[in-house]
Amino acid sequence: MQTKEIISITKKLRLLYVEDDDASRDATLELLENFFDSIFFARDGQEGINLFKEHEFDIVLSDINMPKVTGLEMLEQIRFIDKDIPVLFLSAHNTSDYLSDGVALGIDGYLMKPLKLNNLLVVLVKICERIEYKRFAKEYQNTLELEVSKKTQELDKKLYIDELTGIFNRYSFFEDIKSVITPIVFIVDINKFKIINEIYGSEVGSVVLKEFALFLKEFTQDTSYRVYRLSGDEFIIRDTVDYIDHEKYEKDMKRFFNSIHDFHVLVDGESISIEVTIGISTSQTDAFECAKIALDYAKARNRPYEMYSMSIDKRSEAQDALAWKERTKSAIEDGRIVPVYQPIVDIHANPVKYEALMRLKNEETGELITPFFFLDIAIKTGLYSALSSHIIFESLHLLDTSSHVISFNFTYGDIKNETLINEIEAFLKISPNIGNRAVFEIVESENIESYADIKYFIKKFRKYGVRFAIDDFGSGFSNFEYILEIEPDYLKIDGSLVKNIDIDEKAHILVSAIVGFSHKLGIKVIAEYVHSKVIFEMLKKLDVDEYQGFYFSEPLENIKEIQR
């Protein structure tokens, strides 16, 4: 197909172009406008989904890495609306993960940035052929039935048969599986196939794929199995049964791996062998997805194959994580991340200070939700910094307008956040009378990379009168040399030691030792998780200086309620 012929087709088509980078978009649009008169563009995946729902398009061209919704996530939603529309990815990244994920979702082409004319023409030829075949069949169905039938057969061959190997393709598999009540699915992945291409070249790689497809056909000959090429180096073996015989499939797997030991491809006198990993699903629902989960599980554990089971399926956990991410993001935007305050008391149970803690307020009920449900997700998704900063500055403003002493939690990530630290220092400079009523609690963690960072942080704020505590001391990481170096004002004994001190003799001995060496160093000791009078009295006998826990008060939004 000549360039002029391609342009004559593409000029009639509507293109959706999704790209978040302005420079890339402008450069690409300049090339695309030579082919398309009707171009809609979006700046991220969510905007692209919205446009796709509002308008009809013939082709989608999208970047992969974008904020809010990625190109892969957008493609997944587009496929629910239209499973056949041609979709091309344009990216600066050429990784197997992107390629395999894209192919699994039915991508029609993968282009590298910056977009080159020759590369664009290659994929447009295939897409235009498909579009022309469909248009031809529609326009001449009634008058040219024989010709249409011929073209349809050619199209079916391209649609259902893998061009390289001659076996059924991905599209054929998903069409076939629709009518199968009990599908048995084996996803067969050639391990490290990329290395074969890198060492011997893509032509040799193609030979290996064709020979492996032939091996699979021979292995499944005279059986009820059917073989497909899913994508790249992934193949599928499918079975259709009335009942599931697990023992049969275990035997077939052993037979398969015995056979593959003898599989070799001779190229220019060299013998190339391969290894594979297989994911198996006997699930009646989501058979392909379940086999994919089993394959990933087997790969992660270097197993030759894995049978799908609920115990290895983490999709519900991922869905919960995504839901909490959205809830947390919404709470930040709506101002529903709030500080609560829990008293720290002396031996007479009188409050001497208050620890600022984080809660997420339920939008409908007003219930205060603890960080247990959302903090880990916030850290993994980049939302933690906004949460921490908000709680710290809300509490600093309370310090500035009251006479309370308030303690704040600082993770190692907070300490390394230069913007946050500089903003806190600027606040203390304009409110010089609050530093001596602030206690910064450093959360002890294995993530601490350098004690020098901690020492610099303490030195920076001691000049404003700030006191320092080591939080969660005794939780399993405690470095005594570290304590000697930074000379904190307080050690907060971790609740895991305190909560069972009345029944755990080892915890009692360890708490006693912590109090003893701390006092010798001039460090005051605070016990967390004091939840009963018995534990309070035992800690007083151990000479603990201050106490915190639900025995005195749960964390509340209003300090006056605690005092009352």
Side-chain angles (χ1 to χ4, degrees):
M1 187 176 288
Q2 299 298 316
T3 303
K4 288 183 179 180
E5 188 178 354
I6 293 172
I7 293 174
S8 70
I9 297 170
T10 56
K11 285 291 184 179
K12 303 172 187 175
L13 305 179
R14 293 162 64 89
L15 172 71
L16 172 59
Y17 175 38
V18 188
E19 172 60 70
D20 64 310
D21 183 79
D22 291 337
S24 294
R25 184 170 54 254
D26 291 341
T28 304
L29 278 173
E30 187 175 343
L31 177 56
L32 293 174
E33 286 171 351
N34 294 312
F35 294 88
F36 298 92
D37 286 338
S38 181
I39 301 176
F40 290 66
F41 68 85
R43 298 180 184 277
D44 58 59
Q46 185 58 58
E47 189 177 341
I49 292 167
N50 295 339
L51 280 173
F52 195 84
K53 290 178 179 179
E54 295 170 4
H55 304 277
E56 290 186 2
F57 295 99
D58 300 294
I59 302 176
V60 178
L61 175 65
S62 175
D63 188 14
I64 297 178
N65 287 323
M66 295 182 291
K68 297 182 180 177
V69 176
T70 67
L72 286 168
E73 291 168 340
M74 180 189 74
L75 173 56
E76 192 169 11
Q77 294 200 38
I78 284 176
R79 283 294 182 234
F80 279 110
I81 301 169
D82 187 340
K83 69 178 186 298
D84 293 324
I85 186 170
V87 178
L88 308 173
F89 274 162
L90 176 61
S91 176
H93 301 278
N94 185 11
T95 69
S96 59
D97 287 341
Y98 288 142
L99 287 170
S100 61
D101 289 346
V103 170
L105 290 169
I107 190 173
D108 295 88
Y110 190 98
L111 300 165
M112 295 296 295
K113 292 181 180 177
L115 182 58
K116 303 295 185 183
L117 176 60
N118 288 342
N119 296 338
L120 178 62
L121 283 171
V122 169
V123 296
L124 285 181
V125 166
K126 293 184 178 180
I127 290 173
C128 287
E129 284 179 350
R130 285 174 54 185
I131 292 171
E132 280 300 277
Y133 282 140
K134 289 182 179 180
R135 181 185 63 80
F136 183 89
K138 184 177 180 179
E139 292 179 356
Y140 297 98
Q141 183 175 1
N142 295 327
T143 57
L144 301 173
E145 289 186 359
L146 291 176
E147 187 65 24
V148 169
S149 177
K150 180 181 176 182
K151 290 291 182 181
T152 301
Q153 289 175 3
E154 292 176 2
L155 178 59
D156 283 347
K157 185 176 180 181
K158 291 184 177 180
L159 195 60
Y160 290 98
I161 303 299
D162 179 63
E163 187 176 352
L164 176 66
T165 62
I167 63 176
F168 294 108
N169 62 12
R170 177 185 184 278
Y171 182 82
S172 178
F173 166 74
F174 284 105
E175 285 297 303
D176 289 350
I177 205 171
K178 289 178 182 178
S179 59
V180 178
I181 297 174
T182 308
I184 310 299
V185 176
F186 303 76
I187 301 181
V188 184
D189 181 87
I190 301 176
N191 298 339
K192 300 178 181 178
F193 180 74
K194 183 181 178 182
I195 295 176
I196 294 176
N197 277 336
E198 290 175 348
I199 295 175
Y200 299 100
S202 59
E203 290 185 6
V204 172
S206 295
V207 172
V208 172
L209 292 175
K210 287 191 284 187
E211 290 294 322
F212 184 62
L214 183 60
F215 165 82
L216 292 177
K217 288 181 69 175
E218 291 175 351
F219 176 79
T220 57
Q221 192 172 4
D222 299 326
T223 70
S224 56
Y225 291 119
R226 194 174 192 182
V227 179
Y228 308 79
R229 184 184 178 204
L230 180 64
S231 64
D233 58 355
E234 284 190 336
F235 294 78
I236 285 181
I237 301 173
R238 177 184 65 80
D239 197 9
T240 305
V241 295
D242 295 325
Y243 70 96
I244 299 170
D245 184 351
H246 289 278
E247 185 177 345
K248 170 184 181 296
Y249 297 120
E250 289 285 350
K251 289 179 179 178
D252 284 348
M253 282 297 94
K254 290 179 181 178
R255 184 167 64 89
F256 179 89
F257 282 101
N258 287 334
S259 299
I260 205 164
H261 282 307
D262 299 325
F263 174 78
H264 299 278
V265 178
L266 290 175
V267 178
D268 295 332
E270 288 197 52
S271 177
I272 301 174
S273 60
I274 63 170
E275 294 181 352
V276 301
T277 305
I278 301 177
I280 311 166
S281 168
T282 58
S283 174
Q284 288 183 279
T285 58
D286 298 329
F288 173 76
E289 291 78 4
C290 292
K292 189 69 175 173
I293 290 168
L295 175 66
D296 292 341
Y297 190 88
K299 280 185 173 183
R301 288 156 181 79
N302 292 317
R303 297 178 181 176
Y305 68 94
E306 183 68 42
M307 183 83 74
Y308 171 83
S309 66
M310 291 294 292
S311 63
I312 67 173
D313 194 339
K314 305 300 180 184
R315 284 180 294 182
S316 61
E317 293 180 16
Q319 290 169 354
D320 287 344
L322 182 60
W324 274 111
K325 174 191 172 184
E326 294 305 319
R327 289 177 200 165
T328 305
K329 187 177 179 181
S330 176
I332 293 172
E333 293 170 352
D334 297 343
R336 290 184 287 105
I337 300 297
V338 298
V340 294
Y341 301 93
Q342 186 173 37
I344 299 172
V345 306
D346 59 19
I347 60 171
H348 304 296
N350 296 319
V352 292
K353 62 175 75 75
Y354 301 88
E355 181 179 3
L357 300 167
M358 182 189 305
R359 296 291 185 269
L360 185 153
K361 184 174 287 189
N362 185 287
E363 184 176 17
E364 297 176 357
T365 66
E367 174 193 3
L368 295 179
I369 301 170
T370 70
F372 171 83
F373 294 97
F374 62 88
L375 193 60
D376 283 347
I377 301 302
I379 292 171
K380 292 175 182 177
T381 56
L383 296 174
Y384 171 76
S385 180
L387 296 175
S388 178
S389 177
H390 177 72
I391 296 301
I392 289 171
F393 280 98
E394 284 287 305
S395 303
L396 284 173
H397 283 294
L398 178 60
L399 269 183
D400 202 21
T401 56
S402 71
S403 59
H404 303 307
V405 178
I406 298 178
S407 64
F408 309 76
N409 286 316
F410 282 82
T411 66
Y412 184 67
D414 293 326
I415 291 169
K416 292 288 288 180
N417 185 339
E418 293 184 16
T419 300
L420 173 63
I421 298 305
N422 291 337
E423 288 175 352
I424 294 172
E425 185 175 23
F427 193 98
L428 294 179
K429 284 181 179 178
I430 62 175
S431 303
N433 297 322
I434 70 171
N436 58 5
R437 288 185 289 111
V439 179
F440 289 178
E441 296 187 15
I442 300 170
V443 179
E444 194 174 29
S445 166
E446 293 181 3
N447 292 328
I448 296 176
E449 298 172 0
S450 170
Y451 295 146
D453 296 328
I454 308 296
K455 291 169 71 175
Y456 179 77
F457 170 71
I458 292 174
K459 182 179 179 182
K460 177 186 283 288
F461 288 105
R462 276 208 191 275
K463 62 187 177 185
Y464 298 103
V466 174
R467 287 167 289 169
F468 290 87
I470 302 300
D471 196 15
D472 298 332
F473 188 79
S475 59
F477 174 65
S478 309
N479 187 314
F480 291 91
E481 182 182 356
Y482 160 48
I483 301 301
L484 293 172
E485 284 187 22
I486 67 175
E487 299 178 345
D489 301 283
Y490 303 95
L491 282 185
K492 294 189 74 175
I493 303 175
D494 185 69
S496 63
L497 296 176
V498 174
K499 65 180 180 180
N500 294 321
I501 195 173
D502 55 335
I503 57 174
D504 188 338
E505 184 180 355
K506 291 181 180 178
H508 188 279
I509 293 170
L510 186 53
V511 170
S512 177
I514 291 172
V515 173
F517 90 77
S518 297
H519 284 172
K520 288 179 182 179
L521 295 173
I523 301 171
K524 289 187 176 182
V525 177
I526 303 171
E528 299 181 290
Y529 213 97
V530 181
H531 58 88
S532 71
K533 180 177 176 62
V534 172
I535 288 179
F536 182 36
E537 294 299 329
M538 290 185 71
L539 292 169
K540 286 198 289 185
K541 289 180 181 179
L542 292 177
D543 206 19
V544 171
D545 299 285
E546 296 175 0
Y547 313 83
Q548 181 179 358
F550 274 49
Y551 177 64
F552 310 105
S553 173
E554 64 180 306
L556 298 173
E557 286 188 81
N558 194 330
I559 287 180
K560 291 181 180 179
E561 291 184 25
I562 298 172
Q563 294 170 329
R564 195 161 52 239

